[in-house]
């Protein structure tokens, strides 16, 4: 099968419908320490899904990897798997979302006065 077809098939294993996509995004917010999460959807999530939270933000040094397949900040080696205390750690959700839609992430960490906006292509690379 062509690579694009394989990518769409595998992303369907993670993101099967709008509710599973929203669930993954909310879990990312909670993993980032968010106490408040707001979800806005246009046309029942088929046109746009926006998640705004008060989590820790994504450090500048990690943003280029955040949508890459299998990239995660939760694991460094196999032994770390026993210590995971989060909803997600496989690095699949954001990459799968990139495969099926346009992804834009705005983020700000507490050490920065201004946030940054980043767009990603369908392979999870910074656009």
């Amino acid at each position: 099968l062509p690579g694009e077809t394989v990518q769409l098939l595998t992303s369907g294993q993670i993101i099967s419908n709008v509710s599973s996509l929203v669930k993954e995004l909310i879990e990312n917010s909670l993993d980032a320490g968010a106490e408040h999460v707001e979800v806005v959807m246009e046309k029942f999530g088929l046109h746009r899904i926006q998640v705004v939270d008060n989590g820790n933000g994504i450090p500048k040094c990690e943003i280029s990897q955040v949508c890459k397949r299998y990239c995660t900040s939760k694991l460094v080696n196999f032994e770390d798997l026993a210590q995971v205390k989060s909803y997600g750690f496989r690095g699949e959700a954001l990459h799968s979302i990139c495969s099926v839609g346009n992804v834009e992430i705005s983020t700000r960490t507490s050490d920065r006065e201004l946030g940054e906006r980043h767009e990603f292509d369908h392979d999870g690379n910074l656009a």
Side-chain angles (χ1 to χ4, degrees):
L1 293 171
E4 184 176 312
T5 302
V6 171
Q7 190 171 9
L8 288 172
L9 288 172
T10 57
S11 64
Q13 294 173 7
I14 307 299
I15 307 299
S16 57
N17 54 44
V18 172
S19 62
S20 66
L21 188 150
V22 171
K23 176 187 121 357
E24 294 286 348
L25 294 174
I26 291 172
E27 287 177 351
N28 282 356
S29 294
L30 296 174
D31 284 345
E35 295 176 354
H36 176 80
V37 180
E38 179 181 340
V39 178
V40 177
M41 297 191 294
E42 288 181 17
K43 299 193 183 211
F44 305 101
L46 298 175
H47 180 62
R48 181 173 73 104
I49 299 170
Q50 177 181 3
V51 177
V52 178
D53 66 48
N54 65 341
N56 299 323
I58 302 168
K60 190 174 186 119
C61 63
E62 293 179 12
I63 197 71
S64 66
Q65 299 297 310
V66 75
C67 291
K68 298 272 189 179
R69 190 170 203 184
Y70 307 128
C71 283
T72 180
S73 60
K74 313 280 189 314
L75 303 173
V76 175
N77 56 47
F78 185 76
E79 290 75 28
D80 291 345
L81 195 56
Q83 306 301 319
V84 173
K85 293 179 177 23
S86 65
Y87 292 101
F89 63 89
R90 296 180 318 270
E92 295 268 345
L94 290 176
H95 178 77
S96 294
I97 296 168
C98 285
S99 296
V100 298
N102 298 318
V103 174
E104 178 182 298
I105 296 177
S106 297
T107 186
R108 184 180 70 83
T109 53
S110 61
D111 62 331
R112 300 184 65 101
E113 188 172 322
L114 298 175
E116 296 178 336
R117 183 177 65 83
H118 305 277
E119 294 181 26
F120 296 85
D121 67 17
H122 293 296
D123 293 321
N125 300 308
L126 281 170

